[in-house]
Amino acid sequence: MSDENPPGLDLARLREHLDRERPGLVTGALSARVVEGGRSNLTYVVGDGTNRWVVRRPPLGHVLPTAHDMTREHRVMSALGPTDVPVPPTVLLCTDDSVLGAQFYVMDFVEGTPFRRADELTALGPERTRGIAESLIDTLADLHAVDFRAVGLADFGKPEGFLERQVRRWGKQLDGSRSRDIAGIDTLRERLTRRLPTSPEPAIVHGDYRLDNLLVGPDDTIRAVLDWEMSTLGDPLTDVALMIAYSERHALGDQISDVTSAPGYPGTDELVARYTARSGRDTSALNWYVGFAFFKLAVILEGIYYRYTQGQTVGEGFDTIGAGVPALVARGNAVLEEE
């Protein structure tokens, strides 16, 4: 790590704030490195030579604070701390923009691996890979079993009408990103709107649950669930379905993790059966949710492609990202036809 200030993080001002709010926490000169940057929230590992912490803040130059709400992430992780769901212990939240130029929070550093590639799991062998995948499912079921009222999250979202709002929201996103004809996308949207299932009891929804958003320890246990910026109260089956959609490499290509192709990784039916048994929830309408997950991913990729064609996004890979959208739409329609 470096003792120089990385973009978006003034170490002297951070030290002053920590000394004021948590006297004695920091015992040496701070150094830092960027873990993640770009369009998502900025993540830094900060250390004083003895201990390490993680600092999260919005991306530089963002204009929509509600899309990068540090208060939300900090609140849900703090609430889940005493539960069976593994989350990093939170240290503090700062909503005073004058400290670092934006709100931020600090949490303990957790050792672990966010498995993203199949070869990383292949090196562990099929038995360990299976065990990690099963823990992934069990942890999700444990999250959905948390009594959100008992942990102080009764007002964390609006479960009533959740699915209807979600379909409407992503439909509006699609309308705002239209620049070409995509076969079947309006059909998929109409089918989803017409066939809304009845949601089960609401739960805390992660919103982007997949293996590379979890830290796995050397003993193969889930040490921490990360990236809570999309979390809310809503229909828990949306988490299950998005995880399934992410696993289909033939539709997403190189845009997402390929861990599910590692030897020993259980198939979709097996994982759904495990979630059903662990959670006690009815998953018979899951095809609708998977169809919606493909619609959502298609809209996200189309939005990125649209911004690229408008010259609003620069970088490698954006010129080909639109090519995966038709396959996502086709998969969404195919899944709904299986109902």
Side-chain angles (χ1 to χ4, degrees):
M1 291 198 291
S2 172
D3 57 3
E4 297 181 358
N5 293 329
L9 184 65
D10 186 316
L11 290 174
R13 293 187 67 83
L14 176 64
R15 175 67 187 268
E16 290 174 5
H17 186 75
L18 290 174
D19 285 346
R20 184 169 56 250
E21 299 295 326
R22 295 289 186 274
L25 178 72
V26 181
T27 59
L30 289 179
S31 59
R33 63 180 173 87
V34 179
V35 179
E36 293 179 8
R39 295 174 304 280
S40 187
N41 292 324
L42 292 165
T43 305
Y44 314 86
V45 175
V46 177
D48 65 356
T50 303
N51 296 303
R52 284 181 291 175
W53 303 273
V54 172
V55 176
R56 289 265 284 176
R57 59 150 291 163
L60 302 177
H62 75 98
V63 294
L64 293 174
T66 55
H68 302 279
D69 187 354
M70 297 296 97
T71 303
R72 192 168 193 82
E73 283 193 46
H74 179 268
R75 182 183 177 192
V76 69
M77 286 193 295
S78 298
L80 290 172
T83 73
D84 291 335
V85 181
V87 290
T90 53
V91 176
L92 62 78
L93 169 72
C94 178
T95 58
D96 181 356
D97 288 1
S98 69
V99 178
L100 294 182
Q103 59 176 234
F104 67 93
Y105 69 88
V106 182
M107 57 185 170
D108 286 351
F109 178 85
V110 177
E111 289 278 6
T113 302
F115 287 106
R116 183 173 174 81
R117 295 300 172 199
D119 55 4
E120 297 172 319
L121 288 177
T122 299
L124 303 181
E127 287 189 20
R128 292 180 64 189
T129 293
R130 167 175 287 276
I132 290 170
E134 290 174 347
S135 294
L136 170 79
I137 293 297
D138 293 349
T139 300
L140 183 61
D142 290 347
L143 169 64
H144 294 161
V146 170
D147 183 340
F148 56 84
R149 299 176 185 87
V151 298
L153 294 177
D155 61 345
F156 195 62
K158 299 177 181 178
E160 299 78 14
F162 178 77
L163 294 181
E164 181 183 5
R165 288 197 311 276
Q166 283 283 299
V167 174
R168 189 167 63 245
R169 171 192 171 190
W170 290 102
K172 288 182 178 178
Q173 292 272 68
L174 172 64
D175 291 338
S177 303
R178 286 187 185 271
S179 61
R180 57 179 179 158
D181 290 330
I182 303 171
I185 198 163
D186 289 311
T187 300
L188 178 56
R189 178 183 184 176
E190 191 274 332
R191 282 174 164 173
L192 292 168
T193 303
R194 191 177 69 243
R195 303 184 192 177
L196 281 174
T198 300
S199 288
E201 283 296 308
I204 301 169
V205 174
H206 181 275
D208 196 22
Y209 192 82
R210 58 183 196 256
L211 189 57
D212 54 326
N213 276 339
L214 278 62
L215 294 177
V216 180
D219 59 353
D220 297 343
T221 60
I222 307 299
R223 294 288 179 86
V225 182
L226 306 175
D227 292 339
W228 292 89
E229 57 192 292
M230 302 292 288
S231 59
T232 189
L233 299 183
D235 191 321
L237 295 185
T238 56
D239 271 344
V240 180
L242 188 60
M243 186 178 60
I244 292 171
Y246 274 138
S247 73
E248 298 208 13
R249 290 278 296 161
H250 64 275
L252 284 162
D254 293 330
Q255 304 301 331
I256 203 65
S257 166
D258 65 346
V259 290
T260 58
S261 64
Y265 203 99
T268 296
D269 289 348
E270 196 172 346
L271 292 178
V272 170
R274 188 177 183 92
Y275 174 85
T276 304
R278 177 94 173 195
S279 68
R281 293 181 182 271
D282 180 3
T283 57
S284 59
L286 194 58
N287 277 7
W288 183 95
Y289 294 86
V290 176
F292 172 64
F294 278 116
F295 177 69
K296 177 179 174 180
L297 291 175
V299 172
I300 290 171
L301 290 192
E302 187 64 12
I304 296 172
Y305 172 76
Y306 174 78
R307 290 190 293 276
Y308 169 77
T309 63
Q310 300 298 306
Q312 298 172 3
T313 304
V314 294
E316 296 182 3
F318 293 114
D319 55 336
T320 60
I321 206 164
V325 174
L328 293 172
V329 173
R331 282 296 297 136
N333 278 311
V335 170
L336 291 184
E337 287 170 3
E338 295 171 6
E339 285 191 302

